[in-house]
């Protein structure tokens, strides 16, 4: 009987560790990303999940329109495709 109780306690402890080490941080990252995507505004510089960078020139309910490069090409992206806001440091690969 005592062995069963200790086994149950170990399972509960393992589940708690699993929650606090894996599930909770992932939920926090998702909430931060959703907040960032909901606060997108005209003039923000963004990077998409595909690596496309540009400046937002229009914000719609579920999409954004960005201008990329000096040739002013406009691309419409869904908001969930935005990975980060702000300029990204580009690493020189030789």
């Amino acid at each position: 009987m005592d062995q069963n109780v200790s086994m149950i306690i170990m399972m509960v402890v393992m589940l708690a560790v699993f929650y606090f080490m894996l599930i909770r941080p992932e939920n926090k990252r998702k909430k931060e990303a959703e907040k960032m995507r909901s606060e997108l505004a005209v003039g923000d510089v963004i990077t998409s999940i595909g690596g496309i960078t540009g400046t937002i020139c229009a914000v719609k309910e579920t999409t954004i329109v960005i201008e990329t490069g000096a040739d002013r090409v406009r691309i419409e992206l869904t908001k969930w495709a935005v990975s980060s806001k702000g300029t990204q440091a580009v690493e020189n690969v030789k």
Side-chain angles (χ1 to χ4, degrees):
M1 179 88 154
D2 193 31
Q3 187 179 14
N4 290 338
V5 172
S6 66
M7 189 172 209
I8 291 172
I9 291 173
M10 286 299 294
M11 291 295 284
V12 168
V13 168
M14 286 176 56
L15 287 172
V17 168
F18 185 74
Y19 174 76
F20 284 106
M21 298 296 285
L22 297 174
I23 297 172
R24 190 167 181 246
E26 182 64 27
N27 287 343
K28 190 175 180 180
R29 278 190 291 274
K30 284 181 183 178
K31 283 182 183 179
E32 288 172 358
E34 186 61 36
K35 182 180 179 211
M36 180 267 304
R37 290 176 181 133
S38 69
E39 294 175 349
L40 292 174
V42 174
D44 290 343
V45 177
I46 60 107
T47 302
S48 74
I49 58 176
I52 299 171
T53 60
T55 305
I56 298 175
C57 58
V59 178
K60 300 176 184 175
E61 187 175 330
T62 59
T63 62
I64 59 171
V65 178
I66 64 170
E67 285 185 353
T68 62
D71 53 355
R72 299 174 56 100
V73 173
R74 291 188 175 202
I75 301 172
E76 187 169 1
L77 301 171
T78 56
K79 285 186 178 180
W80 63 261
V82 176
S83 67
S84 63
K85 183 166 82 170
T87 57
Q88 297 293 312
V90 178
E91 191 176 305
N92 288 335
V93 179
K94 294 181 183 182

